[in-house]
Amino acid sequence: MGAPSIEAMGPAANLTREHGFEPLRVEGTLPSELAGTLYRQGPGLFELFGTAYQHVFEADGAVSAVRLRDGEAWGASRLVQSEGLLEERRRGKALYSFAAPWWRRYWSNHKQNKNTANTNVIAWQGRIFGLMEACKPTEISPEDLSTLGETDLGEVILGGFSAHPHDNPKRKALYNFGLEYDRVTNLHLYELPYKGSARRIKSFPLPFPPMLHDFMVTENYLLFFLSPAKLQIFRGLFSIGPWNKLFQWDPNASTEVFVIPIDRPDEMIRFSTEPFYQWHFSNAYEHGNDIVVDYVRYPDFSTFGALGDGSKFGKGRGKARWGAFHRARLNLQTRSMDSQLVWDGACEFPRVHPDKLTQEYRYVWLSTEPLKEEVGKVPHSLLRIDVKSGDVVTHDLDGNEYPSEPVFVPKDGATEEDEGYILSLVYEPDSHTSYLGVYDGQDINAGALAKVWFDHHIPVTFHGNWVPAT
Ligand SMILES: [Fe+2]
């Protein structure tokens, strides 16, 4: 056998080394004031027993972390030991995913979903949770990233728990939603206060079973764009493939806008607008009678299939119609929405200053995605958009390096919104390893202040969060 091909390596290759926190090599100068842990979550196994998963959303999750203190760094990375994966390994065969034969996955999923926890990792009340939208949270040990197990947060969570909780600093709580697909799909709304117990705010039946990946929070509202990406119930119920046909785009249907007052959820404001899709928002805030919503807007749902094939990560957009950064204004009196393009490049994974969530703000950081034919000629970039002026600052990564979502960490005592650091976990293909890039938030185009190297690769991560040291 020769050396593994780049296809067997790349950002979508299985995590091959698991470990607790161990010292990492620091290249450059790590700011000594950066004290805390960056947690990242993504797929960790792209195949099982030699059979590839059909869609990256099926992949078993991995959690990785880089802990920084006094200019030094420690890293850890582990697969999530879900009950489903443990059962599959015990029995020596795939049971749940499309890597399993139809009858076996139908029977397994009939009993329970496999909780891969492959999408995001959050902190709440000093605890760490890995998330995937179809299942309940999975608690992770902050000591060594071992899996502590699934939780319903004290019998609060019904059905799934979205991988996109959002902080509402004014209300000192995280908010989230979950979908429960059944004959009628229910939308459950949750509040996770900084102190005290989690609670379910309210549940609503939905007009159809959507792919609902993310939502938005303002100080007083929860906001949903229900795009016409509809679960094919028969396929879902009976685990009928292929995976990327589980959801179907209906170009003749509307996107339904739900604006739900947190304190008066029965007074939901609802209206329809033209069909579009969104994976992620950057921020939203109230402004007079309007709600301003910033997000990456897609003309349709074609990225669902394109994202599905993990081997394409880092290889450009393919044939999918990609998204661009938009600002929408929702008028709650006229029940209407106007969305304007802010920046027309293909971008994703927007993040803002954590204290600016639900508030008027100025800066958003994102990553870019080259066209398929541009890969190798046009690099992936990190990007900062000034949403007030429209100014854009970019940092091009080297070669075919593949960045993760840029997470902003403010400096202590900062007076400017961009005074802080950008953290992005970057896959470096030549060495098939990954490093944490630390950038100056006010000068990302100067390149990394420091690179913190793992001695192995971390597969692509979707989302994560910085937890300051206490
Ligand atoms: Fe996401």
Side-chain angles (χ1 to χ4, degrees), residues 119 164 213 279-280 349 462-463:
T119 311
H164 287 284
H213 186 71
W279 288 106
H280 300 116
F349 298 115
F462 294 130
H463 301 289

Side-chain angles (χ1 to χ4, degrees), residues 292-309:
V292 177
V293 185
D294 291 349
Y295 65 115
V296 182
R297 177 177 168 125
Y298 293 75
D300 58 29
F301 195 48
S302 54
T303 42
F304 179 66
L307 287 169
D309 182 353

